[in-house]
Amino acid sequence: MDTTTSNTVPALESFDDLIAMARAEPDPCRLLTVLVQAETAYRRRADANKALMDEGLLQPVMVRDWAVTDDLCLADIVAGADSVTSDWRFLMTAVLPGSHGTAPTSAECEPHLERMATALTIGADLGAFVFFDREGGPVSIRSAS
């Protein structure tokens, strides 16, 4: 795991930007979220003059979908997550668009949430997902090489 400020999605400077983009979709959407626990380990780069590398193991803690409404905000998601467990560091997200004016149901979100958690667990490519820290700042997550 390498955590740095994300530059893979330059249009997103915060969690609020993601929600604004989802609200702008022509059909109602659902926000897919995976709470991510990070066991952090630090090691020096080969060049000892450079900073420590922030690496570790990522594990899903909880998955949930949220209706993208005018009221949806990060504070509510964090509060809901912390009521279950405060042992999480990142929020892995994706937006599932609806169709024909209808948002996907929670049941329709389940297989997508399972795939997200599995991708995180097995170390698959996570480029299709956007990660945020607890304050809503974008974070880049990638496999350590």
Side-chain angles (χ1 to χ4, degrees):
M1 165 186 81
D2 179 16
T3 59
T4 56
T5 303
S6 176
N7 58 9
T8 57
V9 185
L12 297 179
E13 294 182 15
S14 70
F15 179 83
D16 292 338
D17 290 347
L18 175 68
I19 296 303
M21 289 174 67
R23 285 183 186 132
E25 288 291 315
D27 290 307
C29 301
R30 290 197 75 84
L31 177 68
L32 308 179
T33 61
V34 177
L35 295 182
V36 180
Q37 180 184 48
E39 294 179 22
T40 306
Y42 297 96
R43 69 180 170 98
R44 288 231 177 256
R45 295 184 185 268
D47 178 354
N49 296 325
K50 291 188 177 181
L52 293 174
M53 293 171 58
D54 184 1
E55 296 182 336
L57 175 65
L58 300 176
Q59 295 202 5
V61 177
M62 183 178 83
V63 299
R64 178 164 177 198
D65 63 284
W66 302 81
V68 177
T69 64
D70 290 340
D71 298 338
L72 182 64
C73 67
L74 180 63
D76 292 339
I77 293 172
V78 169
D82 284 346
S83 72
V84 175
T85 180
S86 61
D87 191 21
W88 63 278
R89 185 168 170 194
F90 303 112
L91 187 64
M92 177 183 183
T93 64
V95 175
L96 185 61
S99 63
H100 307 293
T102 305
T105 65
S106 287
E108 292 170 326
C109 294
E110 277 302 311
H112 299 285
L113 289 165
E114 288 176 24
R115 277 194 290 277
M116 290 171 70
T118 299
L120 187 67
T121 301
I122 67 172
D125 180 17
L126 301 174
F129 310 109
V130 182
F131 287 77
F132 297 95
D133 61 23
R134 293 176 68 97
E135 291 76 39
V139 176
S140 175
I141 304 287
R142 63 179 179 257
S143 297
S145 34

